[in-house]
């Protein structure tokens, strides 16, 4: 962030601080949007400006703004419970005003960055709530010499990648492949991507943050302390406050990297190739990552089904270096020079994101460029190679689907082996061979309650049972950024919350997150169905 801008913001911020006093924690019995808006206007240094950033259901722009960043169309329905007010701040003082007015008038708050919340928790709730949409706060300040970037909480990964690509081809950030994912949500869940084996999680490469706590104070890493800084990098930042900006470490990449795609069906030996993949790739040179996509399809024009496995690789080096390595360790994959291409790192983001490598990179900064889908997802982690008999059971289960299913495996190992489970809240580290992402599409259905939708959702739940013997256990791990309300939402006691909390963070990390939450947000203002809970009984007594 620019120093002059931060200094100005802080001056304004503290000049109005005294006007709130202790009244900001007093809740009215019945929240009304009129009282809330009046509160914003009367506590803003420019009532006209703040009024242009507020939207209620009577505004014609309300619904388009609410819909604009919903990536899962499953929740873009007339019956989805919507916010009472949407606030779209442009600076930190407006965020603070919105926060304190939300508290004063008895609303809950939901914070939206990119809108890729798989269960819609950032933009819907069954209680009166204010949605704080940060899309106007997306500045990105690069310092190439120091290999750092300050990125505001409302920026997307695509905007970050595009900004980097306009300055250098030898630095990048280790984040995900979908350009419209919000940087804030991505990092607050840990965040992995094509550089995970080389540089770890996105959250491993966060150096500092600007964070607003429940009382409206702006904190940095030093003033918030290492516990809270630990918690917001993988423990779900929206449980603790509002991340206004992140300071990121940019990592070195070659000017040209290698891409390849190899597609294999069962008839071509896909089971044997995948079986060996599990043993070879997690221990392979960490410059190589392979994303594996699996789906069922019909064979030609027949009704007979097969499984197609797509191996999508990215290597931090040249074709000439990659081919001998694969020929020696994984010749079954049959990667040839003809299916490889050397490209800029930003072009790999284009290809993995569903574009071609020749697509203009400007598309990454276009928030409306990515396809909007409708889906139900689940996640798992594999720590022991699945035997061929298990793979065949999975294929048979996939044959029961109507070809709406989509499985993705992401290779781990490499740098991830160097981190303990407790280095950050994200615990799926050493010993993980790969992550499993499971999805069924509902895009061709009018809602998620049609007979077909219900059948598909039931199928993906049954797939979970099929996978149970082959994935991690005690706990069976899941990725918090792929939130799944099937895991549970109760938080009345630790025993109740641990059903889902230990799957996301494991026991030690979950308990630590609860202790930190009790200190920084003891009244549990920042909450949603799977937020870090606050208990009346101290955790040390459990």
């Amino acid at each position: 962030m620019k120093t002059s801008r931060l200094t100005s913001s802080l001056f304004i911020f503290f000049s109005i601080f005294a006007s709130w006093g202790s009244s900001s924690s007093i809740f009215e019995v019945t929240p009304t949007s009129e009282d809330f808006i009046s509160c914003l206007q009367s506590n803003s240094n420019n009532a006209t400006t703040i009024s242009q950033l507020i939207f209620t259901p009577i505004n014609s722009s309300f619904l388009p703004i609410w819909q604009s960043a919903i990536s899962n169309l499953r929740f873009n329905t007339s019956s989805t419970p919507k916010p009472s007010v949407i606030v779209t701040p442009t600076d930190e003082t407006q965020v603070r005003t919105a926060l304190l007015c939300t508290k004063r008038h008895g609303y809950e708050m939901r914070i939206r960055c990119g809108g890729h919340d798989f269960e819609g928790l950032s933009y819907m709730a069954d209680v009166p709530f204010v949605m704080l949409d940060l899309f106007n706060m997306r500045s990105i300040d690069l310092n190439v010499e120091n290999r750092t970037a300050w990125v505001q909480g409302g920026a997307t990964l695509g905007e970050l990648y595009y900004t980097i690509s306009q300055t250098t081809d030898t630095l990048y950030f280790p984040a995900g492949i979908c350009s419209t994912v919000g940087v804030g949500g991505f990092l607050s869940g840990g965040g992995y991507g094509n550089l995970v084996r080389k540089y770890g999680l996105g959250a491993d490469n966060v150096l500092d943050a600007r964070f607003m706590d429940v009382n409206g104070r702006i904190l940095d890493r030093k003033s918030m302390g290492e516990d809270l800084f630990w918690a917001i990098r993988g423990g779900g930042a929206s449980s603790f406050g509002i991340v206004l900006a992140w300071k990121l470490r940019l990592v070195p990449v070659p000017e040209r990297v290698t891409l390849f795609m190899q597609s294999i069906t069962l008839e071509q030996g896909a089971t044997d190739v995948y079986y060996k993949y599990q043993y070879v790739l997690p221990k392979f040179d960490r410059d190589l990552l392979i994303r594996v996509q699996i789906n069922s399809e019909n064979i030609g024009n027949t009704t007979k089904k097969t499984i197609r496995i797509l191996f999508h690789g990215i290597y931090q080096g040249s074709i000439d270096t990659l081919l001998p390595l694969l020929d020696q360790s994984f010749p079954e994959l049959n990667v040839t020079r003809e299916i490889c291409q050397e490209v800029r790192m930003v072009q790999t983001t284009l290809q993995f994101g569903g574009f071609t490598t020749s697509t203009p990179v400007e598309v990454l900064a276009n928030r409306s460029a990515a396809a909007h889908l409708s889906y139900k997802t689940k996640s798992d982690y594999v720590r022991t190679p699945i035997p061929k008999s298990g793979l065949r059971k999975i294929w048979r289960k996939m044959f029961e689907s109507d070809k709406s299913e989509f499985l993705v495996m992401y290779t781990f190992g490499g740098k991830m082996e160097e981190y303990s489970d407790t280095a950050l809240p994200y615990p799926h580290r050493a010993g993980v061979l790969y992550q499993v992402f499971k999805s069924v599409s509902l895009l061709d259905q009018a809602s998620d309650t049609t007979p077909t939708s219900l059948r598909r959702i039931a199928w993906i739940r049954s797939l979970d049972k099929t996978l149970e013997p082959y994935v991690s256990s005690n706990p069976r791990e899941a990725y918090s950024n792929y939130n799944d309300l099937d895991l549970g939402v109760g938080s009345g006691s630790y025993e109740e919350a641990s059903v889902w909390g230990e799957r996301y963070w494991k026991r030690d990390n979950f308990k630590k997150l609860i202790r930190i939450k009790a200190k920084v947000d003891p009244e549990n203002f920042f909450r949603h169905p799977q937020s870090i809970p606050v208990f009346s009984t101290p955790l040390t007594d459990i």
Side-chain angles (χ1 to χ4, degrees):
M1 305 293 287
K2 300 294 186 185
T3 303
S4 59
R5 185 169 70 224
L6 294 182
T7 303
S8 174
S9 296
L10 285 172
F11 176 78
I12 297 172
F13 177 90
F14 287 111
S15 69
I16 65 173
F17 182 86
S19 68
W20 291 92
S22 60
S23 63
S24 62
S25 62
I26 298 175
F27 287 74
E28 295 182 353
V29 175
T30 305
T32 66
S33 59
E34 293 81 4
D35 290 340
F36 174 79
I37 292 171
S38 176
C39 178
L40 288 178
Q41 292 171 337
S42 62
N43 289 283
S44 171
N45 60 343
N46 190 322
T48 301
T49 299
I50 195 70
S51 297
Q52 296 171 347
L53 304 172
I54 305 167
F55 304 90
T56 68
I58 65 171
N59 301 127
S60 60
S61 298
F62 175 85
L63 194 58
I65 287 175
W66 179 78
Q67 293 174 321
S68 63
I70 296 177
S71 73
N72 190 350
L73 298 182
R74 177 184 170 198
F75 303 114
N76 187 5
T77 69
S78 59
S79 61
T80 299
K82 299 172 182 63
S84 301
V85 186
I86 299 174
V87 183
T88 60
T90 60
D91 62 44
E92 294 176 347
T93 58
Q94 293 168 357
V95 174
R96 179 179 182 274
T97 303
L99 167 63
L100 297 184
C101 284
T102 300
K103 291 177 61 182
R104 175 178 287 182
H105 291 283
Y107 285 105
E108 289 191 14
M109 176 175 276
R110 298 294 185 267
I111 305 161
R112 186 166 77 173
C113 300
H116 279 255
D117 187 319
F118 282 5
E119 294 282 9
L121 303 184
S122 63
Y123 51 83
M124 71 178 191
D126 291 324
V127 296
F129 73 103
V130 171
M131 187 181 86
L132 186 72
D133 196 322
L134 297 176
F135 74 87
N136 283 325
M137 297 179 64
R138 57 179 190 265
S139 71
I140 299 170
D141 296 329
L142 297 182
N143 187 324
V144 173
E145 182 179 355
N146 291 335
R147 296 183 177 180
T148 61
W150 270 106
V151 182
Q152 282 191 308
T156 64
L157 298 182
E159 289 168 339
L160 174 58
Y161 295 143
Y162 173 74
T163 302
I164 295 171
S165 74
Q166 296 306 289
T167 305
T168 176
D169 280 333
T170 59
L171 293 175
Y172 218 60
F173 185 69
I177 64 173
C178 184
S179 62
T180 54
V181 167
V183 171
F186 175 82
L187 294 172
S188 72
Y192 72 94
N194 285 347
L195 292 171
V196 68
R197 303 190 68 247
K198 180 81 169 181
Y199 295 113
L201 303 174
D204 293 323
N205 294 279
V206 172
L207 302 173
D208 205 340
R210 288 181 62 77
F211 176 85
M212 186 172 291
D213 72 5
V214 69
N215 297 311
R217 297 177 300 176
I218 295 181
L219 309 172
D220 60 10
R221 178 174 184 171
K222 182 177 180 181
S223 57
M224 78 175 73
E226 287 301 305
D227 277 354
L228 181 54
F229 186 61
W230 175 87
I232 63 175
R233 294 174 297 149
S238 64
S239 289
F240 303 94
I242 305 166
V243 178
L244 303 166
W246 306 84
K247 184 179 183 181
L248 309 179
R249 176 195 297 115
L250 304 182
V251 300
V253 294
E255 287 190 1
R256 292 291 183 271
V257 299
T258 299
L259 281 175
F260 66 86
M261 287 192 287
Q262 182 67 291
S263 178
I264 308 173
T265 65
L266 293 187
E267 293 70 28
Q268 297 167 330
T271 300
D272 291 339
V273 176
Y274 186 87
Y275 178 73
K276 185 165 183 180
Y277 152 83
Q278 300 178 101
Y279 287 90
V280 174
L281 265 299
K283 299 178 181 179
F284 201 82
D285 187 321
R286 64 183 60 187
D287 282 331
L288 176 67
L289 179 134
I290 293 184
R291 176 180 185 261
V292 180
Q293 175 183 322
I294 307 177
N295 61 275
S296 65
E297 61 179 45
N298 287 348
I299 300 176
N301 294 323
T302 72
T303 57
K304 185 179 180 180
K305 286 186 176 181
T306 188
I307 297 293
R308 182 174 295 278
I309 304 181
L310 175 66
F311 296 86
H312 198 176
I314 173 174
Y315 178 68
Q316 302 295 306
S318 68
I319 298 173
D320 288 339
T321 305
L322 171 64
L323 292 180
L325 293 175
L326 286 175
D327 287 344
Q328 179 179 359
S329 299
F330 199 11
E332 294 85 353
L333 192 55
N334 193 29
V335 174
T336 63
R337 185 175 298 274
E338 289 70 27
I339 65 171
C340 296
Q341 58 176 322
E342 293 181 3
V343 296
R344 301 164 63 200
M345 187 65 192
V346 70
Q347 291 175 279
T348 71
T349 298
L350 288 169
Q351 190 183 89
F352 273 82
F355 304 103
T356 66
T357 56
S358 60
T359 304
V361 295
E362 286 79 8
V363 73
L364 296 177
N366 182 351
R367 290 181 172 229
S368 62
H372 290 256
L373 305 172
S374 179
Y375 48 83
K376 171 62 181 175
T377 65
K378 291 182 173 293
S379 61
D380 268 305
Y381 290 86
V382 173
R383 291 177 174 270
T384 303
I386 301 175
K388 292 180 183 180
S389 60
L391 294 176
R392 294 187 183 102
K393 288 181 181 178
I394 296 169
W395 309 154
R396 288 194 292 272
K397 172 56 67 172
M398 293 178 68
F399 288 152
E400 296 175 6
S401 173
D402 60 2
K403 298 181 294 182
S404 61
E405 84 290 345
F406 182 76
L407 276 64
V408 176
M409 283 65 171
Y410 244 88
T411 317
F412 277 26
K415 183 70 173 179
M416 294 290 273
E417 292 292 322
E418 299 177 10
Y419 293 95
S420 72
D421 289 355
T422 59
L424 288 182
Y426 180 101
H428 322 293
R429 302 283 205 162
V432 171
L433 302 179
Y434 54 90
Q435 179 189 265
V436 182
F437 169 83
K438 301 159 286 180
S439 178
V440 288
S441 173
L442 309 175
L443 189 59
D444 62 342
Q445 298 299 300
S447 74
D448 62 0
T449 58
T450 67
T452 297
S453 291
L454 294 175
R455 185 171 63 251
R456 290 174 182 174
I457 292 171
W459 178 86
I460 197 171
R461 290 169 177 161
S462 70
L463 175 64
D464 251 19
K465 294 180 180 179
T466 300
L467 286 173
E468 188 172 9
Y470 311 113
V471 297
S472 61
S473 58
N474 300 316
R476 182 174 179 176
E477 300 165 72
Y479 181 31
S480 64
N481 267 359
Y482 296 159
N483 54 355
D484 179 5
L485 295 186
D486 287 355
L487 303 184
V489 296
S491 56
S493 65
Y494 182 82
E495 287 72 20
E496 191 175 40
S498 66
V499 173
W500 51 269
E502 290 188 6
R503 290 191 64 170
Y504 289 145
W505 297 291
K506 291 193 176 180
R507 187 175 183 86
D508 288 347
N509 287 355
F510 190 40
K511 284 194 169 186
K512 183 175 179 180
L513 289 168
I514 292 170
R515 294 187 187 100
I516 295 168
K517 169 77 170 180
K519 291 179 181 179
V520 303
D521 184 20
E523 295 181 2
N524 199 24
F525 171 76
F526 291 108
R527 62 186 184 270
H528 57 72
Q530 285 187 341
S531 59
I532 304 301
V534 173
F535 302 121
S536 56
T537 303
L539 195 60
T540 52
D541 296 341
I542 295 176

